[in-house]
Amino acid sequence: MKSKDSLALDFKSATLYALRVVLHDSDTGALCAALDQRMRDAGSFFKDEPVVIDAHALDTPPDWTALMQALRAHSLHPMGVTAAETMMAAAREAGLVSVELSASTPKAAVAETMPPADLAKPRTAAAPPPEDGRPAPAPAALVVDGPLRSGQRVYARATDLIVIGMVSQGAEVIADGNIHVYGPLRGKAMAGARGNTAARILTTCLEPELIAIAGVYRALEARLEPELHRRPALVQLEGDRLQLRALDG
Amino acid sequence: MARIVVVTSGKGGVGKTTTSASFSSGLAMRGHKTVVIDFDVGLRNLDLVMGCERRVVYDFVNVIQGDASLNQALIRDKQLENLFILPASQTRDKDALTREGVEKVLTELDEMGFEYIVCDSPAGIETGALMAAYFADDALVVTNPEVSSVRDSDRILGILSAKSRRAEQGEEPVKEYLLLTRYSPKRVAEGEMLSIKDIEDILRIRLIGVTPESEDVLQASNQGIAAIHLRDSDVAQAYKDIVARYLGEEIPLRFTEYARPGLLKRMFGGK
């Protein structure tokens, strides 16, 4: 209920999760080609993400308008630019705003933008300590009530994924947090998709095609050993190896 | 309200059209006014299987585009007077099927008093298949006992649960029924085919029936008669059971157990 003297709008604070697109080259053609390739590898993983362009590594500005068009063509939404002040005039002219990002460490940014296609790169356990002491909010888990069938893909951004039902062969479940599957896990499961090495995969019936945590993956071509095959199980990262453990007993 | 049933599979050649013909005939035999629509624009087959290809003057696309009325395009089945066929176009482009156009035709069929509208889906997951599935209340997912067919059925089930009208409008989901065709208990026993249990475990939807592998199906379609009309045929019996189960009767499965031929049978032959 609106009280009589309340305004038609309110200001509240919000934190936006955005991708940082780090430019290494001013040549717009090369940038567009690299973008095409990245997006092809990533499938629909980054679709409709807000994007901040990081041009700190550049000396000369790229063609901002063309770059924005290329990003939009891939369903990425440029929100602004972070760059040296000398580069900003052209960017503003193209309609981009200057954005301040905290801790502009390109290295971390690269890791964050790693799509699931980049699974081949195992990451060492020493890499990211749990979140520099900042208290992370705990968003509610994404719950899928019912089976996920071949060709379906669900991504739980910045949270856990709970599937009540099976995950068929050919289906994919991805979460930045943990993945719980209450039913047969027969498809692909990738937990800690943005690098959380503490993420786990839990299921009541383990027979997946592929499991991955924080980019460390294992494709399961052969049947698992009998104590794991179709058993309740836990998958977690120990060092840079995936450990599979039966859960009953 | 007419109940809209899509007969679908993802994979081609598993028995969708055979099933559409027999299932719609079965509903009509039980006294329900039924229409069966061929959604396979460009590759129509249903009219052949039901033996009415020479009576096709106007088709589904003509009706959608307003070139003909439904009454002009509907063909009365030669066996059953309360069964009608709406044939697909042989010549049109499949993009002629628009969601608005299909909806208009389905609404009009409902107003004409049809109780069941059976939609024979084309193979694949292109426009025709999506259109056939979009408005469905129930889905018969036709599956052969082999892995690629089962995988494609799984894919189609995913599409039904995500992209049907019922899913989009947050209504009660499409009722899904598994229909196994070309099942050979002998080959299952020999480990050449997936068993009913395997398939049920993978797809996890209600099994509505199993039709046995049989030469009768080919014979029936060559003669232009829905397989359900064949006398003394296991396939016809199986389809009658399926229709009865769909209408809510509890009937045990038949034609699913392999009986090793006894000595006499082996000596004197016989099927």
Side-chain angles (χ1 to χ4, degrees), chain B residues 186-202:
Chain B
K186 179 166 179 282
R187 295 182 64 189
V188 172
E190 287 162 0
E192 292 172 22
M193 273 186 180
L194 294 177
S195 71
I196 295 173
K197 196 170 150 287
D198 294 338
I199 298 165
E200 280 190 297
D201 181 52
I202 295 172

Side-chain angles (χ1 to χ4, degrees), chain B:
Chain B
M1 274 295 278
R3 197 87 187 154
I4 301 172
V5 187
V6 62
V7 178
T8 186
S9 72
K11 192 165 160 43
V14 296
K16 281 183 297 297
T17 300
T18 300
T19 297
S20 297
S22 286
F23 184 72
S24 55
S25 297
L27 289 170
M29 285 156 83
R30 305 279 297 240
H32 299 287
K33 188 176 176 189
T34 303
V35 57
V36 54
I37 307 177
D38 189 349
F39 273 77
D40 205 347
V41 172
L43 288 170
R44 64 172 220 228
N45 284 149
L46 183 70
D47 51 323
L48 282 171
V49 170
M50 301 191 74
C52 64
E53 72 277 10
R54 288 173 190 281
R55 289 191 283 152
V56 175
V57 181
Y58 294 109
D59 58 51
F60 191 19
V61 173
N62 290 137
V63 179
I64 287 178
Q65 296 183 335
D67 302 333
S69 71
L70 256 180
N71 274 317
Q72 287 174 301
L74 285 175
I75 302 172
R76 193 186 287 268
D77 183 56
K78 59 185 182 187
Q79 313 271 342
L80 298 157
E81 64 162 19
N82 55 352
L83 175 62
F84 291 81
I85 296 132
L86 185 53
S89 167
Q90 185 84 281
T91 49
R92 309 298 178 111
D93 183 56
K94 61 176 183 300
D95 295 331
L97 291 182
T98 61
R99 190 174 282 180
E100 294 73 32
V102 173
E103 184 168 24
K104 194 190 80 184
V105 173
L106 293 175
T107 310
E108 212 177 315
L109 287 168
D110 181 42
E111 286 162 0
M112 289 168 78
F114 282 100
E115 291 172 73
Y116 291 100
I117 302 172
V118 178
C119 302
D120 182 20
S121 171
I125 48 173
E126 313 285 319
T127 315
L130 297 180
M131 284 299 153
Y134 184 75
F135 295 98
D137 299 308
D138 302 322
L140 295 185
V141 180
V142 182
T143 307
N144 286 170
E146 46 111 7
V147 283
S148 61
S149 174
V150 174
R151 165 73 71 92
D152 289 359
S153 294
D154 193 52
R155 184 101 169 77
I156 279 290
L157 284 165
I159 289 170
L160 282 168
S161 71
K163 297 201 174 149
S164 61
R165 177 174 61 175
R166 281 174 173 271
E168 280 182 5
Q169 302 190 347
E171 293 170 22
E172 198 181 309
V174 177
K175 275 211 184 89
E176 301 155 339
Y177 299 97
L178 172 62
L179 200 162
L180 283 179
T181 52
R182 311 190 66 172
Y183 194 77
S184 164
K186 179 166 179 282
R187 295 182 64 189
V188 172
E190 287 162 0
E192 292 172 22
M193 273 186 180
L194 294 177
S195 71
I196 295 173
K197 196 170 150 287
D198 294 338
I199 298 165
E200 280 190 297
D201 181 52
I202 295 172
L203 293 178
R204 298 189 173 213
I205 58 173
R206 192 192 147 192
L207 178 67
I208 194 167
V210 180
T211 69
E213 169 96 84
S214 166
E215 287 166 18
D216 298 350
V217 172
L218 186 63
Q219 245 176 51
S221 73
N222 284 342
Q223 289 171 34
I225 303 171
I228 198 168
H229 291 302
L230 295 174
R231 283 170 203 283
D232 308 319
S233 160
D234 289 355
V235 174
Q237 293 300 321
Y239 274 120
K240 281 177 188 157
D241 288 0
I242 286 164
V243 172
R245 286 190 203 104
Y246 176 77
L247 294 173
E249 291 171 30
E250 297 274 342
I251 299 176
L253 281 179
R254 291 196 268 179
F255 320 115
T256 56
E257 297 300 326
Y258 175 53
R260 283 184 190 286
L263 181 64
L264 282 176
K265 216 169 187 182
R266 264 186 280 163
M267 283 172 67
F268 297 110
K271 280 199 268 184

Side-chain angles (χ1 to χ4, degrees), chain A residues 12-78:
Chain A
K12 301 215 167 163
S13 78
T15 312
L16 181 68
Y17 187 90
L19 287 174
R20 185 199 301 246
V21 177
V22 185
L23 309 186
H24 302 303
D25 197 328
S26 302
D27 176 11
T28 312
L31 288 173
C32 291
L35 180 67
D36 287 345
Q37 194 193 333
R38 260 295 191 197
M39 293 303 288
R40 207 167 37 240
D41 292 345
S44 56
F45 192 71
F46 293 133
K47 195 162 178 274
D48 287 327
E49 291 271 13
V51 156
V52 172
I53 304 167
D54 182 344
H56 278 290
L58 302 190
D59 305 323
T60 53
D63 179 346
W64 291 113
T65 315
L67 185 59
M68 277 162 69
Q69 273 172 4
L71 288 167
R72 291 206 178 100
H74 286 289
S75 301
L76 296 171
H77 307 293

Side-chain angles (χ1 to χ4, degrees), chain A residues 24-235:
Chain A
H24 302 303
D25 197 328
S26 302
D27 176 11
T28 312
L31 288 173
C32 291
L35 180 67
D36 287 345
Q37 194 193 333
R38 260 295 191 197
M39 293 303 288
R40 207 167 37 240
D41 292 345
S44 56
F45 192 71
F46 293 133
K47 195 162 178 274
D48 287 327
E49 291 271 13
V51 156
V52 172
I53 304 167
D54 182 344
H56 278 290
L58 302 190
D59 305 323
T60 53
D63 179 346
W64 291 113
T65 315
L67 185 59
M68 277 162 69
Q69 273 172 4
L71 288 167
R72 291 206 178 100
H74 286 289
S75 301
L76 296 171
H77 307 293
M79 314 300 291
V81 178
T82 175
E85 194 43 48
T86 50
M87 313 255 293
M88 281 313 299
R92 285 200 191 92
E93 226 161 79
L96 286 161
V97 294
S98 172
V99 176
E100 283 292 321
L101 293 180
S102 56
S104 184
T105 49
K107 211 176 160 197
V110 170
E112 280 210 333
T113 54
M114 195 180 293
D118 252 353
L119 289 170
K121 269 187 202 155
R123 310 202 8 204
T124 56
E131 292 290 314
D132 327 329
R134 264 181 297 154
L142 176 65
V143 179
V144 177
D145 211 343
L148 283 170
R149 308 240 175 219
S150 182
Q152 291 185 304
R153 167 197 263 197
V154 171
Y155 170 42
R157 185 187 307 280
T159 185
D160 288 0
L161 175 61
I162 298 173
V163 182
I164 305 166
M166 68 173 170
V167 176
S168 283
Q169 232 181 62
E172 283 180 37
V173 286
I174 307 166
D176 292 342
N178 305 299
I179 295 175
H180 308 252
V181 179
Y182 298 95
L185 170 55
R186 294 171 175 151
K188 297 179 179 164
M190 301 165 212
R194 286 180 203 259
N196 180 7
T197 51
R200 296 170 181 197
I201 299 168
L202 296 118
T203 176
T204 52
C205 178
L206 185 73
E207 47 174 333
E209 291 176 297
L210 180 143
I211 42 176
I213 291 172
V216 181
Y217 78 105
R218 180 169 160 194
L220 294 115
E221 283 173 44
R223 177 179 285 202
L224 289 163
E225 43 273 47
E227 62 271 26
L228 286 168
H229 180 68
R230 295 193 177 177
R231 307 295 310 166
L234 160 73
V235 182

